[in-house]
Amino acid sequence: MSEESRMKKTIIRIAVCVVVFLASALIIGSIMNQGHNNMTMEMAPATLPMITMESGGVACNELHGNTVEMDVAYQKDCITLLGEGRQANFTVDTFGREITGISTEVRSIDGSRLIENSEVTGWKANGKSFSVSLTLKDLIDTNTQYSLTLILELEGEQKVYYYTTILWNDDVHISEILEFATDFHGKLYDKEVAKELTKYLEPNSKLTDNGTFHKVNIHSSFQQITWGSLEPVQEDAASIRLTQISGNVASLLMDFVVSTGEGKNKIYYNVEEYYRVRYTSERMYLLDYERTMTQIPDTTRMYANDKILLGITDENVDMMESADGNTVVFSDMGQLLSYNAATNGLTVIFSFYDKDNADRRTLYDNHGIKILDVDEGGNVKFAVYGYMNRGRHEGETGIQIISYDNSLNTIEEEVYIPYSKSYAVLKDEMEQLLYRNRQQHVYFFLENGVYDVDLENRSAEQLVSIRQDDSLQVSENHEIIVWQEGDDINHSNQLNVRNLNTGEQTVIRAEDGEAIRPLGFMGEDIIYGVARESDIRTENSGQIFYPMYKVCISNSSGDNLKEYGQDGIYIVDCAIEGNQITLSRIQRSENGSYQEILDDQIMNNVEEEPGQNKVVTADIDIYERYVQIQTKTTIDTRTIKVLNPKEVVFEGGRELTLDAVSEVSRYYVYNAYGVQGIYSAPGKAVKEAYDSAGVVANDRGITVWLKGNRVSRNQIMAIKEESVTDQKNSLTVCLDNILRHAGITRNTEYDLAQGKTAIQILEENMTGVQVLDLSGCSLDAVLYYVNQDIPVLAILEDGEAVLVTGFNEFNVVIMEPSTGKLYKKGMNDATAWFAENGNHFITYMRTEN
């Protein structure tokens, strides 16, 4: 064979090999890509219709659909005022779905009693939306709250549930209140017109920050509240949500989008305004106002130099970085994003909304995102909890634990835990504790218990049951928890400490004759107090007096780092802020009594090491305070890649159902934005609600306390003067009068002699009521009950008891057994008197009609 022929054959063989290799590569790549495409998908779009209620002739309360039935006792996001003759009007936005039926359920506010259920007739679906008007039956009382469930039946027999609280009261001037709020809102865009609003404002630079547009309120300057030099343009009509109605006082939220700039420089912001308004026939009163402005992320231009630009937003950015600092993950406006310095990539890891899915359903902000872990490979573990706007759990409320794989650019659900109450309640629970370690365990707080979820087995167990407020303390990073041992936590002599990252559990024990109580954390160090058993006592009110003779600081291994204590001085409370612990103290005198003395402080000089990526702020022209993340390296804006991961598809479900029920009664404090606190002690709940103009509900959803519905005067005339006797002390007289007023004849002298407390006696003898220890609340707060003809028992520091039985604008009426008098005491004097005596109040609420 010639050299030329061999060369030709060699070239042909090489060519064939190349062709075969390329063909094989294409086929294999095609197969792999085809398999990958089958394994992943885009998040499914939102599909559910929406309902908008009407109050006072105004469209209010957008209701989002639930694909499973919820516990109606906790659906308190909004309240709808019925029209004349119990009429309920609403609009259904179909978003392209076929509606085959509409029905209603009216229940008592706790959901226990079905009052009415019926099919809705007479409606006709016309196009994208249609109106419905229905009249509820004559089975509801005026000025009483009920739960209304609207049920849409869609094609395929799918049922979707929509919830609102309803109130029928023709005397509530809600149309005037809504008109005032809408007018106020519109005038803020024009400084000249807005000058007439100054009579409603209460500017005070000591109470607010005039350096940021993220939060402005009734105390902000006129310049700040009228948008400074921003000149925003409102992009859409405001969505109004009525959150509270009490007499002629109403609270509402307005949600809308504004923009600044033009063209490619246009920036969008989500804005929420809060109004609390009182109507009178003479004028309207703006009791409170707050505006929250948050920039909507634009991933095409949210970076410059070594900064990720978040703009006008909260400075407390939820952020976590990998150990090497190459990956920084942050939550911004309902989205979870990450920047990877090694690949110069910005990834929108999770979001319900994007450029192709941006409507009122996907932008609905009723969920939270918690970053759980970031590793050096750029992989992220996180949780989404609350209402699911779209996707495989659309219309459900729950906790979704998700994993992001950086190399595959995919997200995958690991476990989903359904929840039947509401996002407002779940949010408070998750903020208490939500932590994941690298051994595939997730820990969270739910229904007064700490739960451990094994992600590999998809199983869960309760680690701890908490019976009293503050018995569980959690470190700021949620890695360390500490709780008291035993059911009698006021006499517990042991603290259990668990490191959730390592699983290590240690014990801190008090000496014999001593009790121990956790007070909080400074970093990862535990702060706890120690009291002598001989000093702890239960007062006649049932309140526990717990004077701690020392406060200690230890690490999570139980090693004592620092002690604070002085002879004759006791600590009764502890507040932790930053690197400072403030101790509230009392001093014991020679006769055994206690007097308050000045607070003292303990400082922690150990500063937290900053990360390689950090949140910084800058004052930028008209935008004022601008929030940014300073990255460890400069961002190359020319080559940066913006990624959007797909979801991993899997067969079957990854649902884990928990049978979580609290072992103790709980009290929920609602404000206009949702739940701001959950307590075992009603007094703490009422005090917080009083300070924030909120509402307290019990674990059946029944209102325990609210502000703003008190009449100008009231007196319980059935309670007369009565004196102590040789057989009856003042507490006996007061308890007998409370029971007699409720139609119960009982001599409580014997019960007291047996060591029972006032609360125990009332609980054992009264039915259809919930006894409330309101110690720590002000006189003004507890007059809520006198307003309802319920007497309030007050126990003084010297052990004497009195009843508060009436009030007017200037006085309260007091029945004082020690003097045998029923008399008026000036409101200010009475307030100071009860405060000096510790504000120890006991009363009750009716739970049955």
Side-chain angles (χ1 to χ4, degrees):
M1 184 181 291
S2 66
E3 186 68 30
E4 184 178 353
S5 296
R6 282 197 297 269
M7 182 64 71
K8 285 182 177 179
K9 286 185 176 182
T10 301
I11 292 172
I12 291 171
R13 281 198 295 267
I14 292 172
V16 169
C17 288
V18 170
V19 171
V20 170
F21 173 78
L22 291 174
S24 300
L26 287 171
I27 293 169
I28 292 169
S30 176
I31 292 171
M32 289 182 69
N33 286 334
Q34 184 179 6
H36 186 65
N37 286 336
N38 286 340
M39 294 290 288
T40 63
M41 63 175 288
E42 301 283 354
M43 184 189 294
T47 65
L48 299 179
M50 283 182 57
I51 290 177
T52 304
M53 304 300 296
E54 182 182 296
S55 289
V58 178
C60 295
N61 302 339
E62 291 182 346
L63 309 184
H64 292 259
N66 297 268
T67 54
V68 294
E69 292 188 72
M70 304 292 286
D71 188 336
V72 300
Y74 299 90
Q75 309 311 306
K76 295 183 176 294
D77 286 349
C78 61
I79 181 168
T80 298
L81 193 68
L82 298 178
E84 187 175 350
R86 306 178 306 283
Q87 191 172 63
N89 300 322
F90 58 92
T91 300
V92 179
D93 290 302
T94 66
F95 288 95
R97 296 296 296 272
E98 181 185 349
I99 314 296
T100 60
I102 304 176
S103 58
T104 66
E105 281 188 1
V106 178
R107 291 183 174 272
S108 57
I109 196 64
D110 63 352
S112 64
R113 186 163 51 94
L114 178 63
I115 295 167
E116 172 187 345
N117 63 336
S118 59
E119 294 292 324
V120 180
T121 58
W123 58 272
K124 184 177 182 181
N126 293 315
K128 295 180 180 179
S129 66
F130 60 92
S131 299
V132 180
S133 181
L134 64 94
T135 300
L136 300 182
K137 295 176 183 177
D138 188 14
L139 299 172
I140 61 175
D141 298 324
T142 59
N143 207 31
T144 301
Q145 293 187 2
Y146 297 89
S147 173
L148 171 66
T149 305
L150 297 172
I151 306 165
L152 297 186
E153 188 167 324
L154 311 183
E155 75 280 8
E157 298 186 354
Q158 180 186 13
K159 288 187 176 181
V160 187
Y161 305 86
Y162 300 80
Y163 298 94
T164 182
T165 300
I166 56 172
L167 177 69
W168 178 38
N169 188 338
D170 293 339
D171 294 331
V172 175
H173 295 264
I174 202 65
S175 58
E176 290 91 338
I177 290 174
L178 291 171
E179 182 182 1
F180 169 83
T182 303
D183 180 66
F184 188 100
H185 163 81
K187 287 177 178 175
L188 293 176
Y189 294 99
D190 186 326
K191 284 183 169 54
E192 192 61 35
V193 175
K195 287 179 180 178
E196 61 187 83
L197 302 179
T198 55
K199 62 185 176 182
Y200 301 110
L201 304 178
E202 304 170 11
N204 187 333
S205 59
K206 294 180 180 179
L207 298 177
T208 192
D209 180 359
N210 282 312
T212 176
F213 286 115
H214 175 58
K215 289 280 188 183
V216 302
N217 57 41
I218 198 170
H219 302 299
S220 298
S221 67
F222 177 78
Q223 174 74 2
Q224 201 73 8
I225 210 167
T226 54
W227 303 98
S229 301
L230 275 179
E231 298 183 355
V233 175
Q234 188 166 324
E235 294 287 332
D236 58 354
S239 169
I240 301 175
R241 178 156 56 97
L242 278 167
T243 58
Q244 295 171 7
I245 299 176
S246 176
N248 278 320
V249 175
S251 296
L252 60 100
L253 294 172
M254 285 189 189
D255 291 287
F256 52 97
V257 173
V258 301
S259 64
T260 59
E262 296 180 352
K264 64 179 183 179
N265 295 318
K266 201 168 190 178
I267 303 172
Y268 294 92
Y269 310 83
N270 189 69
V271 185
E272 185 169 63
E273 286 183 326
Y274 161 60
Y275 294 84
R276 187 164 181 264
V277 182
R278 174 187 286 129
Y279 167 88
T280 70
S281 56
E282 292 81 24
R283 57 164 291 187
M284 307 295 287
Y285 291 89
L286 182 63
L287 303 178
D288 203 0
Y289 171 83
E290 183 174 77
R291 184 174 70 226
T292 304
M293 181 181 190
T294 306
Q295 187 165 321
I296 298 174
D298 181 352
T299 55
T300 63
R301 54 192 175 98
M302 62 184 299
Y303 29 78
N305 300 320
D306 63 343
K307 303 288 194 305
I308 297 172
L309 312 176
L310 305 183
I312 299 173
T313 189
D314 193 339
E315 295 174 49
N316 298 312
V317 179
D318 183 18
M319 186 181 83
M320 186 181 292
E321 64 181 9
S322 57
D324 59 9
N326 280 337
T327 302
V328 57
V329 181
F330 56 98
S331 180
D332 186 24
M333 188 59 206
Q335 295 188 339
L336 184 66
L337 304 100
S338 75
Y339 173 71
N340 190 309
T343 62
N344 195 33
L346 181 72
T347 304
V348 183
I349 295 176
F350 184 90
S351 176
F352 282 126
Y353 65 90
D354 54 41
K355 61 182 178 62
D356 298 320
N357 296 273
D359 60 37
R360 292 175 297 158
R361 298 169 301 171
T362 57
L363 290 168
Y364 183 45
D365 184 20
N366 222 34
H367 65 277
I369 299 175
K370 171 76 172 178
I371 308 164
L372 300 176
D373 186 50
V374 183
D375 67 22
E376 293 187 6
N379 304 307
V380 182
K381 314 294 185 183
F382 63 101
V384 178
Y385 55 88
Y387 180 85
M388 304 295 166
N389 298 9
R390 54 185 276 230
R392 66 166 52 90
H393 299 293
E394 181 187 7
E396 299 178 27
T397 297
I399 307 165
Q400 192 177 23
I401 307 300
I402 305 175
S403 175
Y404 168 68
D405 188 310
N406 181 51
S407 62
L408 298 177
N409 193 33
T410 59
I411 62 172
E412 181 175 0
E413 174 183 293
E414 296 181 84
V415 72
Y416 176 75
I417 301 166
Y419 187 71
S420 65
K421 289 187 177 178
S422 68
Y423 167 63
V425 176
L426 185 61
K427 178 176 183 287
D428 188 270
E429 304 273 45
M430 295 298 100
E431 288 176 349
Q432 298 290 320
L433 173 65
L434 179 53
Y435 182 83
R436 175 179 179 147
N437 64 25
R438 292 193 174 177
Q439 289 74 48
Q440 306 303 308
H441 283 255
V442 170
Y443 302 87
F444 53 78
F445 186 78
L446 194 69
E447 297 293 329
N448 273 31
V450 175
Y451 286 84
D452 173 5
V453 174
D454 185 331
L455 294 175
E456 291 184 348
N457 299 325
R458 294 194 188 95
S459 61
E461 65 170 328
Q462 188 184 75
L463 292 181
V464 188
S465 177
I466 303 302
R467 304 192 64 82
Q468 182 171 311
D469 300 324
D470 304 324
S471 178
L472 173 75
Q473 296 290 335
V474 181
S475 64
E476 186 176 354
N477 64 2
H478 291 203
E479 185 174 320
I480 314 295
I481 62 173
V482 56
W483 69 96
Q484 287 168 282
E485 180 71 16
D487 291 335
D488 187 0
I489 61 174
N490 292 308
H491 297 276
S492 175
N493 66 353
Q494 177 178 312
L495 298 183
N496 298 311
V497 182
R498 186 173 180 122
N499 185 317
L500 300 180
N501 184 41
T502 65
E504 177 188 8
Q505 187 158 319
T506 57
V507 169
I508 301 174
R509 288 189 175 88
E511 300 290 337
D512 290 343
E514 294 181 346
I516 191 170
R517 170 176 288 183
L519 301 175
F521 278 84
M522 183 168 282
E524 295 179 13
D525 294 331
I526 305 153
I527 305 167
Y528 63 91
V530 182
R532 299 182 182 92
E533 286 279 4
S534 58
D535 292 332
I536 302 170
R537 67 170 186 264
T538 302
E539 300 175 331
N540 286 332
S541 64
Q543 192 79 0
I544 302 296
F545 178 62
Y546 196 99
M548 296 168 282
Y549 77 89
K550 68 176 179 180
V551 167
C552 304
I553 302 176
S554 77
N555 60 25
S556 61
S557 298
D559 302 322
N560 201 13
L561 305 177
K562 193 170 186 177
E563 274 190 15
Y564 173 94
Q566 295 175 272
D567 288 341
I569 293 177
Y570 299 84
I571 298 99
V572 291
D573 200 6
C574 167
I576 304 162
E577 186 172 354
N579 289 333
Q580 179 174 292
I581 306 170
T582 300
L583 304 174
S584 300
R585 306 182 303 161
I586 57 176
Q587 187 170 23
R588 183 156 57 188
S589 59
E590 293 182 0
N591 64 6
S593 62
Y594 293 89
Q595 299 293 327
E596 291 184 10
I597 59 174
L598 292 176
D599 294 346
D600 202 357
Q601 286 79 33
I602 301 175
M603 299 297 298
N604 180 15
N605 298 321
V606 179
E607 295 187 5
E608 186 178 348
E609 292 186 12
Q612 298 178 67
N613 303 274
K614 57 185 178 181
V615 177
V616 296
T617 61
D619 291 330
I620 298 181
D621 301 328
I622 63 173
Y623 300 101
E624 295 187 348
R625 191 168 303 140
Y626 212 75
V627 180
Q628 305 164 101
I629 297 175
Q630 182 175 312
T631 55
K632 63 175 288 189
T633 58
T634 300
I635 300 172
D636 187 345
T637 58
R638 297 169 304 167
T639 62
I640 189 169
K641 299 180 292 294
V642 178
L643 304 174
N644 293 276
K646 292 186 177 182
E647 288 189 5
V648 173
V649 178
F650 50 84
E651 293 185 1
R654 295 183 176 178
E655 189 171 296
L656 173 62
T657 302
L658 293 184
D659 187 20
V661 180
S662 176
E663 296 180 3
V664 296
S665 297
R666 304 207 301 173
Y667 299 86
Y668 302 80
V669 181
Y670 291 87
N671 62 12
Y673 299 100
V675 173
Q676 71 179 75
I678 304 173
Y679 298 92
S680 301
K684 288 186 176 182
V686 170
K687 186 176 186 303
E688 181 162 340
Y690 180 83
D691 293 339
S692 61
V695 176
V696 180
N698 66 6
D699 43 22
R700 290 175 54 193
I702 300 172
T703 299
V704 174
W705 185 92
L706 58 83
K707 193 170 188 174
N709 73 334
R710 205 167 77 204
V711 297
S712 60
R713 60 179 62 217
N714 190 53
Q715 184 172 345
I716 306 169
M717 303 305 295
I719 296 181
K720 308 294 185 181
E721 294 180 347
E722 186 174 346
S723 297
V724 297
T725 65
D726 291 340
Q727 291 77 35
K728 289 187 175 184
N729 61 21
S730 59
L731 183 55
T732 301
V733 172
C734 289
L735 290 171
D736 287 351
N737 269 275
I738 292 174
L739 294 174
R740 192 181 306 126
H741 179 65
I744 302 165
T745 302
R746 174 77 178 180
N747 187 334
T748 60
E749 178 189 2
Y750 175 79
D751 293 330
L752 289 171
Q754 297 301 306
K756 293 181 180 180
T757 66
I759 291 175
Q760 289 172 326
I761 293 170
L762 295 177
E763 287 177 337
E764 290 174 3
N765 288 280
M766 301 182 78
T767 59
V769 305
Q770 191 164 0
V771 179
L772 305 170
D773 180 355
L774 300 183
S775 295
C777 297
S778 67
L779 172 64
D780 190 54
V782 302
L783 290 180
Y784 167 85
Y785 300 94
V786 182
N787 185 67
Q788 301 177 64
D789 290 332
I790 298 173
V792 174
L793 170 66
I795 299 177
L796 310 179
E797 289 292 295
D798 61 5
E800 293 295 331
V802 300
L803 287 181
V804 182
T805 64
F807 63 88
N808 59 28
E809 294 180 78
F810 308 105
N811 304 289
V812 293
V813 179
I814 295 172
M815 197 275 278
E816 189 174 58
S818 63
T819 61
K821 300 290 186 182
L822 184 72
Y823 63 93
K824 292 180 181 178
K825 193 178 186 73
M827 187 69 74
N828 292 338
D829 291 340
T831 299
W833 182 49
F834 284 122
E836 289 166 3
N837 280 275
N839 278 338
H840 293 311
F841 297 113
I842 295 171
T843 188
Y844 60 89
M845 57 171 281
R846 300 182 183 95
T847 58
E848 296 178 4
N849 293 330

